[in-house]
Amino acid sequence: MLKTFPKGGVHPPENKLSANKKIEILPVPKQVSVPVSQHIGVPAKVTVNKKDVVKVGQIIAESGGFISANIHSPVSGTVFKIDEVTDTSGYKRQSVIINVNDDEWDEKIDRSEELIKDFDISSEEIIKKIQNAGIVGLGGATFPTHVKLMPPKGTKPEVLIINGVECEPYLTSDHILMLEKGEEMLVGIQILMKALKVDKAYIGIENNKPDAITHLTKLVKFYKGIVVTPVKVQYPQGGEKQLIKAVINREVPSGGLPIAVGAVVHNVGTAYAVYEAVQKNKPLFERVVTITGKSVKNPGNYLVRFGTAVSDLIEAAGGVPKNTGKIISGGPMMGKALNTTDVPVAKGTSGILIMPEEESKRRVIKPCIRCAKCVDVCPMGLEPFLLMTFGEKAMHKSMEKEDVLDCIECGSCSYACPSDRPILDYIRLGKNRVGAVIRARSTK
Amino acid sequence: MSKLIVSPSPHQLGSNSVKKLMYGVLFALIPTLFVSVFFFGLGAIIVILSAVISSVLFEYLITKFILKRESTVMDGSAALTGLLLAFNLPSNLPIWLVIIGAFVAIGIGKMSFGGLGNNPFNPALVGRVFLLISWPVQMTTWPKPSPFTEKMLGYTDVTTGATPLGQLAETMRNGESMSSLGEKVPDYMQMLIGNMGGSFGEIAGFALIIGLIYMLMKKIITWHIPVSIIGSVAIFTGILWLADPVNFADPLFHILTGGILLGAIFMATDYVTSPMSKRGMIIYGIGIGVLTIVIRIWGAFPEGVSFAILIMNALVPLINMYLKPKRFGEKVKKLK
Ligand code: SF4
Ligand code: SF4
């Protein structure tokens, strides 16, 4: 029996259209807009001025606090201006706009393809390097990686879990990375293990990627302490709490962090970025992005410099198809719909999904027939229909009591509802309200 | 480029719909429909048609002229209520009574609460119990099944006889032993295929079970409610029977007769009126099973499934309040 999480989940059509497309390098654009906030936490502080000349990999904005991350220039050229630019979240953010000139890299970066396996540095130095390189969780959460490597007092990491699940339909960037950069990734995992002082790491991969499972299983023989764990294809297998339960059978308590059960989870892309930062001195300024959709001419996986406009990426895949209704940053289950393609690719952009108009429209909402399908599929054991009802009536106290904050916003409830009710919309609203109320309470 | 649509996630929805689910249940009832027509002939056809047509019509008229909103009849739920009502009636019931039953089911049982999703009680059972209380004689005069005879073409003029459960009640009333009951009722094989008296949809044990398997496979319902009802009936009557086999009928007799299977598979599993959590479903099922047997053995009616389901329907809000699904990370909850 394949490992999986104990309750709930759905199985949307996988649609991995770009699964066997090799990583291609997207040409550097003429101009990039690099937001200073590409992570969760405090925005970085800009350290360059207009007209400054920058090189690829040079720092342009410095981490603004503990939970924050450095931002490096993805291109070489001249700073054109510092201005507010709309990013993929739909908000205007301070950004450094750079006019590209040539492609000159910082000398410290090792640009060779050679695999460097050995490392001999302390945990503290590793964490420092990762922090300097501006690495954040590349699975989409963009939580600064160094913070997760420094567990709070009184907790002790026991295992590292590497998330190679990629349970979102359509997306393939993690998949292709595991195939093409498997070895580098394993070195990265060993570096992370050393940073955390653990001797065991599991790579969880959904069973719909047998090639990646075989490939890595073959390789891990040469890497002590790393095990590949195939998991069942079931959405949201890649949810942090779900994956921990599936792989090591421990349940993160409600309101708790993975470290409460001795686990730390990092994404496969993050592990690769760690390799590059520690072994090659290369900070995080580009990533693999999937561009996909049923109507897209050439779905594929591209290595994209941050700050490149989403429209450039779409152009490379054959342009915006006729009949496009929606363009999503991320996957269909948890991604964000864009209102323009004139937004920059950033650290959290795992994919761009184009949906035809007929699939983009919301369906007509029908009354709840109390079929309990939403309860069945909720991986957190919540009662989505009830939270929705409370949400409609703005009964936030009741929502809090019914554990609305445990919701991981996976969307399984809305997906499964036969009445097409926008359950998650109400839950999200409620979560925000309840979160605000709790914050207000604690400052009193 | 035309304007992009922006809405929150998820951007993809499943292929399920209310219509699909309701038609799925209707489809699961087809074997039962054939068996009932096979044993009760024209009468069954007349009752089914009048119940389904009048239910759909009442729902249409009420949504259109009283509630003045878009009609919902196409979702199949009214037809389903009509069919389930019909299956709970004797095949010789006069049309006008069937129509009254459909009116009470749809008008009072469902639409007066605001339509599908809001009714606390199973509408078909509301209709049936109303008829049972108001016209007890017509509602408990059961035609004898008569396949392959010219009686198949009869309707209100067919021969009638007691149901196995009626026989059981009488046997118990007269203080006779269960072995004398065995001589009066069909054997279990006959019961399983449906050759016995009763509401014409409840007799077809085998066909009902096929329907159950279909619904489980299609994930229309889960096993929790049917299994807990049938299981608790088996255990409860099993204990009584083992303690005193002379005065109590065995579990198989109880499960195959009356409305246990129809009730457990199709009536108690009604989405709207059953609990939301798995734990709740099991308690609800056990409640129905136990109440049914209590009514059958100690109550005034030979059959108790309808009442048991309606009573448990009333308790569903309470069940939902106290029997929550198991939360993820619950065991270690009190960290905060
Ligand atoms: S899935 Fe939809 S219709 Fe079913 S109980 Fe939940 S909200 Fe109601
Ligand atoms: S309530 Fe939250 S966690 Fe549960 S299914 Fe819905 S979105 Fe997912």
Side-chain angles (χ1 to χ4, degrees):
Chain A
M1 262 279 279
L2 272 174
K3 294 188 168 182
T4 186
F5 53 95
K7 97 165 270 303
V10 291
H11 191 173
E14 292 163 33
N15 287 322
K16 304 275 192 185
L17 310 171
S18 49
N20 43 24
K21 298 288 176 68
K22 292 234 154 28
I23 300 173
E24 281 179 62
I25 296 173
L26 190 75
V28 183
K30 287 207 173 60
Q31 190 184 61
V32 291
S33 315
V34 190
V36 296
S37 182
Q38 303 182 31
H39 48 263
I40 286 183
V42 193
K45 285 199 280 294
V46 179
T47 55
V48 288
N49 295 310
K50 205 170 155 172
K51 295 209 180 115
D52 278 5
V53 175
V54 293
K55 284 184 192 167
V56 178
Q58 182 187 327
I59 213 160
I60 52 173
E62 224 164 42
S63 159
F66 180 56
I67 303 184
S68 181
N70 290 339
I71 306 283
H72 302 78
S73 176
V75 294
S76 60
T78 328
V79 177
F80 170 59
K81 59 176 177 178
I82 316 249
D83 200 1
E84 306 254 289
V85 172
T86 309
D87 71 359
T88 50
S89 69
Y91 292 105
K92 284 207 180 276
R93 306 229 195 245
Q94 195 185 34
S95 305
V96 180
I97 299 160
I98 305 168
N99 285 333
V100 178
N101 183 13
D102 215 10
D103 195 31
E104 196 187 324
W105 289 44
D106 190 339
E107 305 79 43
K108 288 197 292 289
I109 303 172
D110 170 3
R111 293 185 70 181
S112 71
E113 284 285 310
E114 186 200 349
L115 175 76
I116 305 173
K117 281 195 184 183
D118 301 319
F119 54 93
D120 184 25
I121 54 174
S122 70
S123 298
E124 289 71 33
E125 281 172 297
I126 293 173
I127 294 171
K128 189 106 222 120
K129 276 195 150 186
I130 290 174
Q131 186 170 10
N132 286 342
I135 298 178
V136 302
L138 294 182
T142 66
F143 191 79
T145 300
H146 65 271
V147 181
K148 274 170 130 188
L149 295 176
M150 293 189 251
K153 277 218 172 57
T155 59
K156 193 181 153 357
E158 292 162 45
V159 289
L160 170 65
I161 295 176
I162 298 295
N163 191 343
V165 173
E166 204 161 50
C167 60
E168 272 273 7
Y170 290 95
L171 301 188
T172 56
S173 52
D174 287 348
H175 184 186
I176 198 71
L177 207 59
M178 286 190 276
L179 287 176
E180 291 193 16
K181 304 286 178 192
E183 220 126 354
E184 286 85 349
M185 194 179 285
L186 291 175
V187 177
I189 294 172
Q190 284 199 318
I191 295 170
L192 285 168
M193 286 162 74
K194 172 134 194 211
L196 286 164
K197 305 195 177 92
V198 299
D199 48 21
K200 194 103 209 137
Y202 298 90
I203 312 176
I205 306 175
E206 243 181 16
N207 209 29
N208 56 1
K209 296 178 260 298
D211 47 354
I213 294 173
T214 342
H215 179 61
L216 290 182
T217 309
K218 246 185 258 155
L219 290 179
V220 290
K221 287 194 199 100
F222 309 102
Y223 293 85
K224 221 177 127 241
I226 307 180
V227 180
V228 175
T229 310
V231 290
K232 197 174 153 196
V233 182
Q234 191 175 15
Y235 179 86
Q237 192 71 261
E240 219 170 38
K241 292 181 175 182
Q242 278 65 41
L243 187 62
I244 295 171
K245 178 73 183 174
V247 173
I248 59 169
N249 196 22
R250 293 186 196 170
E251 215 164 299
V252 179
S254 163
L257 291 172
I259 192 71
V261 294
V264 177
V265 183
H266 287 288
N267 171 268
V268 285
T270 313
Y272 178 62
V274 164
Y275 165 82
E276 291 202 304
V278 176
Q279 304 294 71
K280 301 272 183 180
N281 274 322
K282 185 182 159 206
L284 184 63
F285 56 75
E286 58 183 2
R287 69 162 296 157
V288 180
V289 183
T290 302
I291 162 85
T292 182
K294 284 182 207 150
S295 51
V296 172
K297 226 184 265 151
N298 306 307
N301 303 294
Y302 288 88
L303 187 65
V304 187
R305 304 275 175 99
F306 300 148
T308 306
V310 165
S311 52
D312 288 355
L313 181 61
I314 297 175
E315 247 358 275
V320 178
K322 254 194 247 141
N323 258 328
T324 292
K326 223 184 216 181
I327 299 183
I328 297 158
S329 163
M333 295 303 286
M334 293 183 79
K336 244 187 118 72
L338 304 175
N339 59 4
T340 159
T341 55
D342 200 14
V343 291
V345 167
K347 292 179 181 176
T349 315
S350 48
I352 297 294
L353 166 62
I354 299 186
M355 297 223 316
E357 189 158 0
E358 59 280 12
E359 283 181 39
S360 310
K361 295 213 176 89
R362 283 247 170 140
R363 301 185 191 150
V364 181
I365 301 168
K366 278 131 300 198
C368 169
I369 58 166
R370 308 181 62 82
C371 66
K373 303 261 177 236
C374 52
V375 183
D376 265 9
V377 299
C378 177
M380 298 308 290
L382 304 176
E383 293 160 285
F385 79 97
L386 189 64
L387 294 171
M388 170 184 66
T389 317
F390 288 148
E392 282 169 322
K393 300 184 184 135
M395 291 164 67
H396 300 120
K397 271 239 169 61
S398 309
M399 288 182 101
E400 187 186 347
K401 236 182 75 212
E402 296 296 340
D403 305 298
V404 71
L405 291 178
D406 277 358
C407 169
I408 58 169
E409 301 188 24
C410 67
S412 299
C413 47
S414 300
Y415 179 87
C417 177
S419 289
D420 299 317
R421 299 189 67 76
I423 308 175
L424 183 51
D425 291 6
Y426 286 109
I427 294 183
R428 225 184 248 125
L429 268 175
K431 268 182 87 173
N432 286 341
R433 284 295 309 145
V434 171
V437 169
I438 289 178
R439 273 194 299 281
R441 217 183 280 151
S442 61
T443 53
K444 237 183 246 159
Chain B
M1 191 166 55
S2 59
K3 247 190 126 27
L4 291 173
I5 298 170
V6 178
S7 62
S9 65
H11 305 286
Q12 186 180 21
L13 296 180
S15 57
N16 231 342
S17 68
V18 177
K19 219 172 171 173
K20 240 186 179 171
L21 292 171
M22 294 299 158
Y23 285 107
V25 182
L26 282 170
F27 191 77
L29 281 165
I30 289 178
T32 310
L33 187 101
F34 278 124
V35 174
S36 60
V37 172
F38 177 75
F39 284 112
F40 293 99
L42 188 64
I45 297 176
I46 294 175
V47 175
I48 289 172
L49 285 180
S50 41
V52 172
I53 293 173
S54 49
S55 294
V56 171
L57 204 66
F58 283 131
E59 173 147 332
Y60 176 76
L61 294 176
I62 292 170
T63 38
K64 179 132 195 203
F65 295 107
I66 300 178
L67 300 177
K68 298 211 185 354
R69 62 181 190 211
E70 214 183 318
S71 156
T72 43
V73 287
M74 284 319 290
D75 67 17
S77 68
L80 181 59
T81 300
L83 187 60
L84 286 174
L85 172 68
F87 281 164
N88 275 289
L89 301 174
S91 64
N92 59 348
L93 200 69
I95 294 186
W96 61 275
L97 273 180
V98 179
I99 294 176
I100 291 179
F103 177 75
V104 173
I106 296 290
I108 297 172
K110 184 176 173 189
M111 301 317 281
S112 70
F113 293 99
L116 185 65
N118 300 307
N119 47 301
F121 297 106
N122 186 315
L125 288 179
V126 171
R128 165 170 201 237
V129 166
F130 177 81
L131 291 178
L132 183 62
I133 294 171
S134 316
W135 287 274
V137 178
Q138 284 91 329
M139 283 293 289
T140 50
T141 313
W142 309 99
K144 274 189 159 33
S146 45
F148 303 123
T149 64
E150 75 282 5
K151 291 196 186 107
M152 291 285 288
L153 299 172
Y155 173 33
T156 48
D157 50 350
V158 291
T159 347
T160 58
T163 62
L165 275 180
Q167 308 266 25
L168 172 67
E170 199 178 303
T171 310
M172 290 179 69
R173 210 165 29 241
N174 298 342
E176 291 164 349
S177 84
M178 283 302 135
S179 51
S180 72
L181 174 67
E183 290 152 25
K184 288 180 243 166
V185 297
D187 64 37
Y188 290 158
M189 208 47 222
Q190 293 295 322
M191 286 186 182
L192 193 60
I193 60 166
N195 195 4
M196 61 180 163
S199 302
F200 64 86
E202 66 185 27
I203 48 135
F206 191 62
L208 289 165
I209 290 168
I210 294 178
L212 171 66
I213 294 169
Y214 174 79
M215 290 200 293
L216 289 177
M217 272 168 28
K218 287 277 167 192
K219 298 208 165 81
I220 295 172
I221 59 168
T222 59
W223 58 268
H224 302 78
I225 294 174
V227 168
S228 56
I229 295 179
I230 297 167
S232 58
V233 167
I235 292 169
F236 190 14
T237 55
I239 293 172
L240 294 174
W241 178 64
L242 285 176
D244 186 357
V246 178
N247 286 313
F248 292 102
D250 64 274
L252 203 56
F253 178 89
H254 275 287
I255 291 169
L256 290 177
T257 58
I260 297 262
L261 289 174
L262 178 65
I265 298 168
F266 288 100
M267 313 298 294
T269 52
D270 171 42
Y271 290 141
V272 183
T273 56
S274 60
M276 303 300 279
S277 74
K278 297 283 176 287
R279 306 188 219 191
M281 289 179 187
I282 288 175
I283 293 296
Y284 167 83
I286 294 175
I288 292 173
V290 170
L291 281 174
T292 303
I293 300 306
V294 168
I295 297 172
R296 277 188 184 182
I297 297 183
W298 292 286
F301 289 90
E303 172 57 316
V305 185
S306 307
F307 293 107
I309 294 176
L310 289 175
I311 292 169
M312 290 311 289
N313 283 167
L315 294 179
V316 163
L318 214 62
I319 293 176
N320 282 339
M321 194 141 44
Y322 289 107
L323 292 167
K324 300 270 164 195
K326 192 171 160 297
R327 302 275 200 252
F328 187 99
E330 173 180 65
K331 272 177 289 182
V332 257
K333 185 135 205 159
K334 299 295 167 225
L335 266 191
K336 297 176 215 172

